[in-house]
Amino acid sequence: MKREEQLVVKIENGTVIDHIPSSKLFEVINLLHLEEIKESAVVIGYNLESKKFGRKSLIKVFNKYFTDAELNLLSVVAPNVTLCIIKNFEVVEKKKVVMPKEVRGIVKCANPKCITNNEPMETVFHSNGEEKHTLTCHYCSKEQSLEGLKLVN
Amino acid sequence: MKHSLVTIANLTKEKIEYLVEMAQEFEKYPNRKILEGKVLATLFFEPSTRTRLSFETAANRLGARVIGFTDPKVTSSTKGETLKDTIIMVGGYADIIVMRHYLEGAALYASEVAPVPVVNAGDGANQHPTQTMLDLYSIYKTQGTLENLNIHLVGDLKYGRTVHSLLMAMRHFNPTFHFIAPKELAMPEEYKQYCREHGIKFVEHEDFNEDIISQADILYMTRVQRERFTDLMEYERVKDVYVLKAAMLEKAKENMRILHPLPRVNEIAYDVDEDPHAYYFQQAKNGLYAREAIICDALGLTIEDVRNDKTIIL
């Protein structure tokens, strides 16, 4: 365990996204468009041991801070992640992701007969609040649980 | 003002009452030239002769001209044209679009991209608000009110889009619903939850007999279709249970009326047609007045415009 901890370096400035369920790691990478970061380092730790969660994943992004809107996208796939803003090796701010009222163009509707799955168009969902863990499709009105939702390609 | 009608679920009580009142005006004088010079497009991506005829009659009786298609096989959607392109193109030709589509949510999307108002004439299993408006108008006409009624829904309550929409629209009017259906086609939990959340009273029955009918103000019949059953033994067992016969109406209240969205197959025996409680054919006719009101409202005409209309053909 000691050795695994050492795998993940401390960063001087940037963002740490911790406690990502390992099964959701790649979706988080996609949502934040980490593949497009060219100028600074991104450290991705996959399947690390965690006292609380068994196995988890984490991402450290050097020299980059995300907007709240970008981070809130994570609520759809990984609502319980921990976000730390690091400045000068210190955690200056801890954030929680907040489910946006409206989720646009992020996830697909699970209803195959929904217009959004048959027409080149943006999906839109309305959130049913933090506790309920469901979204309702703006178009076909089907309520669906967050767990089953797939990201738009 | 563009006024699309996509769903009944978000109409206010006032708006529903307003449209009922407007339909009454059109029933008094259904033939007018109030829409002379207007073009209405009927886009039926899924065939529905009854609904289309009703809309086209409404448009014709108000002096509008009608364009459209009745069969998507003849349109460019078979060549891969998107719904958006079709709607924008037709929106350039017509003043209002009436659309029937097999996909859920298609009407809402069309209303978002169209430059003209869109009236939903049914989008998959989702919504069919003009059917609900004519049901509400029929209920109002026969009972003199929409308030505090006992409404019995019979037959296929699982897949029946019309009963779900009616249930939601009636939430404003303190109804008591009776759900009468075989187990396999019972009212889905999500709608029962909707009732609980909105304080709508309901009672469930598996039996269908004259005692249950005796409490009803409205008896809303629907078709029990064989293809809805996973267990055909169950279908054989229940297929005759939810058939209404004239003899079952002996204890019915005098004001009770029988509604059915039509087409009927065998769920209402033909001997009921002559019974004074039968109302399904008038109900279909009411669809004309309800749709006249809906088309005019969508085009931005108010009830005052309709009352002051000088184009009435007597």
Side-chain angles (χ1 to χ4, degrees):
Chain A
M1 184 169 138
K2 263 268 172 301
R3 218 188 307 156
E4 277 193 8
E5 253 175 26
Q6 287 162 2
L7 281 174
V8 186
V9 295
K10 282 207 158 192
I11 67 174
E12 189 175 344
N13 293 300
T15 307
V16 176
I17 305 159
D18 201 354
H19 301 118
I20 305 168
S22 287
S23 61
K24 302 287 184 188
L25 174 66
F26 293 96
E27 293 183 2
V28 171
I29 292 170
N30 281 337
L31 277 176
L32 294 177
H33 299 287
L34 297 185
E35 75 283 3
E36 287 168 18
I37 296 177
K38 305 288 186 221
E39 304 302 324
S40 50
V42 179
V43 176
I44 295 171
Y46 177 62
N47 253 358
L48 307 177
E49 269 184 36
S50 153
K51 283 180 212 111
K52 267 198 216 159
F53 298 90
R55 291 274 169 189
K56 64 165 188 184
S57 291
L58 70 78
I59 300 171
K60 296 192 175 191
V61 186
F62 286 71
N63 302 318
K64 185 169 169 64
Y65 304 101
F66 296 92
T67 64
D68 283 352
E70 284 174 302
L71 293 171
N72 288 343
L73 295 178
L74 301 182
S75 61
V76 180
V77 296
N80 299 317
V81 297
T82 313
L83 296 164
C84 297
I85 311 300
I86 313 286
K87 285 183 179 158
N88 234 339
F89 295 110
E90 298 285 329
V91 178
V92 295
E93 193 184 350
K94 281 202 172 205
K95 290 187 181 178
K96 292 206 80 179
V97 294
V98 180
M99 174 67 79
K101 280 210 166 73
E102 192 178 84
V103 179
R104 276 187 175 268
I106 306 299
V107 284
K108 280 196 221 172
C109 180
N111 175 9
K113 293 190 78 184
C114 176
I115 184 72
T116 59
N117 287 314
N118 295 274
E119 175 90 0
M121 60 186 283
E122 190 177 62
T123 62
V124 182
F125 290 85
H126 304 290
S127 154
N128 298 312
E130 299 281 331
E131 306 87 57
K132 240 183 152 189
H133 280 263
T134 61
L135 295 177
T136 296
C137 176
H138 171 63
Y139 291 99
C140 75
S141 305
K142 287 274 181 313
E143 184 175 347
Q144 33 213 291
S145 73
L146 290 179
E147 283 72 42
L149 289 173
K150 296 208 163 50
L151 290 184
V152 171
N153 303 323
Chain B
M1 241 285 281
K2 199 175 115 173
H3 254 168
S4 291
L5 178 64
V6 172
T7 168
I8 205 86
N10 54 16
L11 290 192
T12 61
K13 182 176 182 177
E14 290 71 32
K15 182 74 184 189
I16 288 173
E17 289 171 336
Y18 176 85
L19 288 172
V20 164
E21 236 180 284
M22 203 151 154
Q24 266 181 312
E25 294 295 322
F26 283 113
E27 179 157 13
K28 277 187 236 158
Y29 303 107
N31 300 320
R32 302 157 182 252
K33 288 188 180 166
I34 194 168
L35 296 185
E36 196 163 37
K38 301 282 185 198
V39 175
L40 174 138
T42 52
L43 308 187
F44 278 62
F45 292 91
E46 172 187 71
S48 173
T49 312
R50 189 176 308 275
T51 304
R52 183 176 56 81
L53 286 179
S54 175
F55 269 108
E56 293 189 356
T57 307
N60 277 304
R61 286 192 181 274
L62 297 178
R65 289 171 182 261
V66 179
I67 60 166
F69 54 82
T70 59
D71 180 351
K73 286 202 262 322
V74 302
T75 72
S76 295
S77 53
T78 54
K79 299 178 195 157
E81 186 180 49
T82 62
L83 176 62
K84 181 179 174 181
D85 287 9
T86 308
I87 292 294
I88 292 175
M89 187 268 301
V90 174
Y93 298 155
D95 300 291
I96 177 170
I97 294 172
V98 172
M99 184 179 86
R100 169 80 153 222
H101 205 286
Y102 49 92
L103 292 171
E104 295 159 31
L108 178 56
Y109 181 59
S111 76
E112 288 174 355
V113 298
V116 297
V118 173
V119 174
N120 183 5
D123 60 337
N126 193 34
Q127 294 284 335
H128 192 4
T130 63
Q131 174 72 45
T132 310
M133 270 315 302
L134 79 88
D135 291 344
L136 293 171
Y137 183 54
S138 299
I139 294 170
Y140 179 82
K141 232 179 104 176
T142 58
Q143 307 300 317
T145 177
L146 290 171
E147 307 277 352
N148 311 320
L149 296 170
N150 279 323
I151 300 179
H152 289 43
L153 305 174
V154 186
D156 180 356
L157 306 188
K158 185 173 179 187
Y159 300 99
R161 169 177 67 182
T162 52
V163 295
H164 301 154
S165 296
L166 183 61
L167 188 116
M168 293 198 273
M170 286 301 295
R171 74 185 182 283
H172 304 295
F173 303 102
N174 188 37
T176 302
F177 279 103
H178 290 252
F179 301 149
I180 301 157
K183 267 205 185 74
E184 270 209 57
L185 301 179
M187 185 60 79
E189 185 52 40
E190 59 175 300
Y191 291 102
K192 289 194 264 177
Q193 190 55 36
Y194 183 91
C195 288
R196 289 179 204 114
E197 281 166 16
H198 291 85
I200 300 172
K201 298 178 283 294
F202 67 88
V203 189
E204 290 185 277
H205 309 267
E206 261 185 77
D207 298 328
F208 181 47
N209 56 44
E210 53 187 87
D211 289 323
I212 289 170
I213 292 170
S214 71
Q215 304 164 43
D217 297 307
I218 292 291
L219 189 60
Y220 198 104
M221 302 292 300
T222 65
R223 207 151 21 117
V224 173
Q225 290 164 283
R226 190 171 191 267
E227 57 269 27
R228 300 294 194 197
F229 283 80
T230 48
D231 180 357
L232 286 180
M233 293 271 283
E234 174 71 4
Y235 171 74
E236 290 302 323
R237 193 180 68 77
V238 303
K239 69 174 182 189
D240 295 325
V241 176
Y242 303 95
V243 173
L244 180 66
K245 300 178 194 77
M248 296 160 79
L249 296 169
E250 276 166 21
K251 293 188 192 167
K253 289 194 199 174
E254 205 182 321
N255 64 303
M256 189 277 268
R257 289 294 176 273
I258 303 158
L259 303 188
H260 189 301
L262 302 182
R264 142 182 74 164
V265 182
N266 62 356
E267 57 279 6
I268 302 177
Y270 294 107
D271 64 1
V272 178
D273 293 0
E274 311 309 321
D275 192 282
H277 297 98
Y279 194 73
Y280 26 94
F281 293 116
Q282 289 96 319
Q283 179 191 4
K285 194 174 171 191
N286 289 338
L288 172 63
Y289 314 127
R291 289 185 174 108
E292 286 185 321
I294 287 162
I295 292 169
C296 285
D297 181 64
L299 283 168
L301 293 169
T302 65
I303 197 160
E304 289 311 310
D305 296 330
V306 175
R307 284 187 179 134
N308 300 327
D309 179 18
K310 300 279 181 279
T311 68
I312 291 168
I313 302 166
L314 295 170

